[in-house]
Amino acid sequence: MPTAIAVTSPELVLPSPDRHTPTAAVLQSAVQAARAHAGKGYAAKSAATKVSTKASAKAQGPQAQTLDQALTEMHTLIEHHGYVIVLCPSSAPPAVLHRLHAIRSVLESDRIALVRSDLPPLGLSVLALQLRQLSICDFSPGVLACAARLLSHYIYAGALLGSVAKLDRVPVTLRSHTKSWVPGAQFAVLAAPRPELVKVGGDGLPAGPGFSTKLLYAAGQLAPDWVVDTLAPAWNVQGCVDVELSADSPRWWATGKLVEFAAAIPDISVLYQLVSSVRREDCHWCGLELIGDRCAFCAAPMPPAAPEPAVHALPRGGT
């Protein structure tokens, strides 16, 4: 069985492009932790709601059982796949990350990689899909987990926004904040691989990829015409695919007036060559293969390269 690719939300699972690409495992324990966090936030904001001690105890009962369920869920994945790579957005509630660390700690397993990503929701969905495609190749679990950081640099993830007034995940200038109050103003915002913000119709276009990509887009409360008719041809993408907007996207982009998009390499052979071209090392702590400067499973950094011995010239006449 290939290495399992797991996600913390069902909305991070894109349809498989072919019958060979496995789906992602949705960690129900992470979904429950996120819902519990959202419920606590709602209760805290509702000053008119009073919860009795008895009702609170009942609410805590199912939550106390979810750890056992989470351990069973993860143990089953490990038994079936050998290794599990969990993609967790950096924007996830702390409760989700705490639950994942608790599972790894209680199981005392070095076969679980927790990979956090700053990508917006659609970009992270694309990354999960690429890892799912590569999971059927001959990459070891360590290389596959480390490939998440590498592939993130080749995903152009952004959104068309009707307002940037509350956007805090991408640098926004005061001038852009002022323009966002103009009725009808729209902004093209790129979050990855490097942040960029331009006003639609006035400041050009965000810099696109210099390689072949496919564009995925998800429409919220804006029409996708500009993304499909202007951005896609300018980026020379090899096709556009309409997907469903994630419920996390309006929160991530701080507005419901958006069309989220992500351009990425769709060809598994190109992805394979990209990962294969990187030098592999063995982790000095857990022994797994890795690419880059840190093991994705045990988080041990690569030790600094040993300095080359100094070469001393022989004295004149020496042998």
Side-chain angles (χ1 to χ4, degrees), residues 7-8 27-37 40 59-74 86 88 92-108 112 114 116:
V7 293
T8 57
L27 297 180
Q28 295 303 318
S29 56
V31 174
Q32 292 174 9
R35 288 175 179 170
H37 175 83
K40 289 179 181 179
Q60 291 175 1
Q63 287 300 319
Q65 298 175 2
T66 57
L67 180 57
D68 289 337
Q69 297 169 357
L71 295 174
T72 301
E73 179 183 41
M74 184 64 73
V86 182
C88 179
V96 174
L97 191 61
H98 293 163
R99 175 54 53 89
L100 293 175
H101 279 293
I103 294 171
R104 196 176 191 276
S105 177
V106 173
L107 289 178
E108 296 183 344
I112 305 170
L114 303 181
R116 302 197 69 188

Side-chain angles (χ1 to χ4, degrees), residues 107-145:
L107 289 178
E108 296 183 344
S109 176
D110 56 358
R111 297 189 175 191
I112 305 170
L114 303 181
V115 180
R116 302 197 69 188
S117 175
D118 293 327
L119 287 171
L122 184 55
L124 187 57
S125 300
V126 170
L127 176 61
L129 176 59
Q130 291 180 334
L131 292 178
R132 288 159 52 195
Q133 290 178 289
L134 293 175
S135 69
I136 62 175
C137 299
D138 57 358
F139 292 122
S140 65
V143 170
L144 185 61

